[in-house]
Amino acid sequence: MPMTATTVLTARALLLDMDGTLVNSDAVVERCWRRWADRHGLDGDEVMKVVHGRQGHASMAVLLPDRPMEQNHADNARMLAEETADMDGVIEVSGAAAFLASLAGLPHALVTSADVALSTARMAAAGLPLPELRITAESVGASKPDPEGFLKAAAELGVAPADCVVFEDSGAGIAAGRAAGMRVVGVGSRAGLHGPDALVQDLTEVRVESTPEGAIRLHLG
């Protein structure tokens, strides 16, 4: 539900998820994961409740708990290739291009469960510029909901976790931001189910200004 009043948050850095937050890739995620569910005799709706926000092998570990992790990693590599080859219907989340443009010169990073190839392809397909700092699947040892990616981004930007604001759409991502000790802005209706600190329907509801002290002030709503 839309926010009725504007919420103002102040931060020193913004950490941005990609899928569902900057890029609407739901169509391709659904296509690839429902095919995967069919191959494994799993219920597609149940699979879709798990996969958003996590790296593929981490989703597989939840869905097929008895399968060896090396099989999940091999399967995940195939899934990433499949997803990277399918950009049909990949578009920006409303307001993403303007939002990223407003962050020029301000500390921010992309923190995604996608790998370099997939994140580069999806951002390009959506017509979005890649932030200078990118934490991808290759950068971390643990997938969201583990906070490693967000903590690594904060460290590389030289900003304390408490001074970062995370933008996320998924339960796994919101949990990761929380575990990192950061405030979380939820983007879209899916995010609202997971208790973010603030919620916007899309990025047209976000206005960014920099303060004279070099902080970032967010107006949400």
Side-chain angles (χ1 to χ4, degrees):
M1 98 190 152
M3 297 170 64
T4 48
T6 301
T7 299
V8 180
L9 296 177
T10 303
R12 297 217 159 262
L14 304 185
L15 308 182
L16 316 173
D17 172 54
M18 181 182 73
D19 290 302
T21 301
L22 297 173
V23 173
N24 180 345
S25 54
D26 278 0
V28 60
V29 172
E30 288 260 350
R31 272 197 299 277
C32 289
W33 279 100
R34 285 186 183 277
R35 274 200 303 268
W36 182 89
D38 288 345
R39 285 200 295 271
H40 294 279
L42 297 172
D43 180 276
D45 292 342
E46 292 304 311
V47 167
M48 293 316 300
K49 287 178 190 169
V50 169
V51 299
H52 290 292
R54 288 180 170 86
Q55 290 185 37
H57 62 80
S59 297
M60 292 169 189
V62 172
L63 293 160
L64 298 174
D66 298 328
R67 193 166 80 158
M69 271 314 285
E70 51 270 30
Q71 255 181 278
N72 294 338
H73 281 284
D75 206 359
N76 185 41
R78 285 190 293 273
M79 286 287 286
L80 284 167
E82 207 177 303
E83 290 187 76
T84 304
D86 184 354
M87 291 295 135
D88 189 24
V90 173
I91 54 172
E92 70 162 340
V93 167
S94 295
F99 173 59
L100 286 169
S102 74
L103 297 183
L106 299 174
H108 66 288
L110 188 71
V111 183
T112 176
S113 291
D115 64 0
V116 169
L118 182 58
S119 55
T120 303
R122 279 202 180 143
M123 291 287 280
L128 300 175
L130 279 166
E132 199 171 309
L133 176 60
R134 302 181 288 280
I135 305 296
T136 61
E138 294 93 339
S139 315
V140 296
S143 167
K144 299 172 186 177
D146 190 284
E148 182 187 354
F150 288 127
L151 291 171
K152 190 163 189 178
E156 294 209 19
L157 290 170
V159 174
D163 291 328
C164 295
V165 168
V166 164
F167 281 74
E168 267 285 0
D169 71 299
S170 71
I174 290 167
R178 280 255 152 86
M182 301 172 179
R183 288 158 294 159
V184 182
V185 175
V187 180
S189 52
R190 189 162 56 219
L193 305 172
H194 303 284
D197 296 291
L199 182 66
V200 293
Q201 287 311 301
D202 59 38
L203 296 171
T204 64
E205 295 183 8
V206 182
R207 195 164 60 78
V208 177
E209 63 174 357
S210 54
T211 70
E213 304 79 47
I216 301 167
R217 192 171 288 134
L218 296 168
H219 300 265
L220 309 168

